[in-house]
Amino acid sequence: MKLSPRSAAERVLSVTPLKHATMVQAPYLIPGLPTVARAANGVADWLSKSRSIEELNALLAPKPNEEHRPCLLCGSERRKVRYDVRKGTEGSSARYRVAVCDDCGLHLRCPGIRVENVAELYATDSYADFLEGSYSKKRVQVYRRTLKSLGLDRPSGERLLDLGCGTGIFMGVARELGYDPYGLDLSPASLRIAADRFGEDRVGFGAVWDAAQLGHDSYDVITLWSVLAHIADPREQLSAISKLLAPGGSLVILTVNANSLQRQVFQGRWNGFT
């Protein structure tokens, strides 16, 4: 049986004391809020002005590591600037804007990070510290629950590639379940921790097209845990991933939902904008 968002939240709270209800669940529990939030977002979208890349270059001048470029999904050069993001969920100060593509509705950082500069976002030791903190305990539960729901929790030695492996938290879960895990990431500090845990031959620096350094040309399972929204060239990377999957293999993607009620309620403070 498929649960509606509200009934799903009510089921969560039926086994969780109400005092532990989080802001994530709250939007679904306030009568009438979904209707009001969607209506307000519709009005805001209607009032927003559509702008071209040329107009955005004049209005929001990119920094050296940024650029305004066509939509990553459909190639459109027109979008509406909708959200002013003032703080990232990792606790670090951040300020940038999010635009919505006129043609396909994709949410885009505005300006976006240049492809060649993406790795700079994950170059500090603080990023690895964040991954090893309380974040890791929550993630392990998500990993196990997701794999079980997909019927991928009973492997027998299948080769697995975790793209955006960080410090190897999921690789550890995968190994415990019975996978033969490998990982790639753009954070040197995180990879040092992962290498200590699994060996330097199992982790590497880079994106999917750097997978050859791991010594294999195919994988039974490839995972992207909260990675897709951080990729500056998703079409190219997904195309490369498809060539790495073994026949009958599985691609597991967990990512934020920009159509969610949470985003419509919290606007620029939505935790999906990091």
Side-chain angles (χ1 to χ4, degrees), residues 69 72 113-116 118 228-234 236-237:
R69 57 186 178 132
L72 306 177
I113 302 295
R114 292 180 179 274
V115 175
E116 61 269 26
V118 170
L228 187 63
H230 298 254
I231 295 177
D233 50 357
E236 290 85 350
Q237 292 220 21

Side-chain angles (χ1 to χ4, degrees), residues 2-220:
K2 186 176 181 180
L3 295 173
S4 68
R6 179 167 179 173
S7 61
E10 289 170 343
R11 175 166 290 191
V12 169
L13 290 178
S14 71
V15 295
T16 305
L18 187 59
K19 65 180 181 179
H20 294 306
T22 66
M23 290 300 290
V24 170
Q25 297 158 343
Y28 302 101
L29 304 178
I30 301 175
L33 183 58
T35 301
V36 172
R38 293 185 178 111
N41 275 268
V43 172
D45 185 66
W46 182 71
L47 292 174
S48 299
K49 182 179 180 179
S50 173
R51 301 181 186 276
S52 66
I53 288 180
E54 183 177 348
E55 291 175 309
L56 288 171
N57 278 325
L59 180 67
L60 301 172
K63 297 176 182 177
N65 67 335
E66 298 176 331
E67 64 179 344
H68 293 289
R69 57 186 178 132
C71 175
L72 306 177
L73 186 61
C74 72
S76 172
E77 296 193 359
R78 299 199 67 86
R79 64 208 55 170
K80 297 176 179 178
V81 180
R82 286 293 311 277
Y83 304 110
D84 187 359
V85 180
R86 295 183 178 275
K87 193 171 185 180
T89 56
E90 287 123 34
S92 59
S93 60
R95 192 173 190 275
Y96 62 92
R97 292 172 175 82
V98 172
V100 180
C101 174
D102 276 13
D103 293 333
C104 71
L106 183 69
H107 286 62
L108 303 153
R109 176 170 171 149
C110 184
I113 302 295
R114 292 180 179 274
V115 175
E116 61 269 26
N117 295 113
V118 170
E120 297 172 3
L121 301 177
Y122 312 100
T124 64
D125 290 348
S126 61
Y127 179 70
D129 294 338
F130 163 72
L131 293 179
E132 285 291 291
S134 59
Y135 175 86
S136 64
K137 296 179 181 178
K138 300 176 184 177
R139 299 301 291 181
V140 167
Q141 297 175 3
V142 172
Y143 299 148
R144 292 185 179 279
R145 184 169 62 245
T146 304
L147 291 181
K148 184 176 181 179
S149 72
L150 297 174
L152 296 173
D153 59 331
R154 297 181 179 276
S156 55
E158 286 92 336
R159 190 180 298 148
L160 178 147
L161 175 62
D162 186 25
L163 294 172
C165 67
T167 58
I169 297 169
F170 172 67
M171 289 178 65
V173 172
R175 184 167 61 182
E176 289 177 10
L177 290 174
Y179 282 105
D180 181 20
Y182 295 82
L184 288 170
D185 202 272
L186 296 175
S187 167
S190 298
L191 286 172
R192 287 194 293 270
I193 297 174
D196 288 340
R197 291 172 172 167
F198 301 97
E200 294 184 355
D201 59 326
R202 288 187 172 269
V203 297
F205 179 86
V208 59
W209 32 73
D210 301 301
Q213 65 181 291
L214 300 176
H216 304 291
D217 57 6
S218 68
Y219 295 86
D220 301 294

Side-chain angles (χ1 to χ4, degrees), residues 232-255:
D233 50 357
R235 292 174 67 99
E236 290 85 350
Q237 292 220 21
L238 288 172
S239 177
I241 287 171
S242 69
K243 298 174 183 177
L244 275 179
L245 274 176
S250 298
L251 171 61
V252 178
I253 299 175
L254 180 75
T255 191

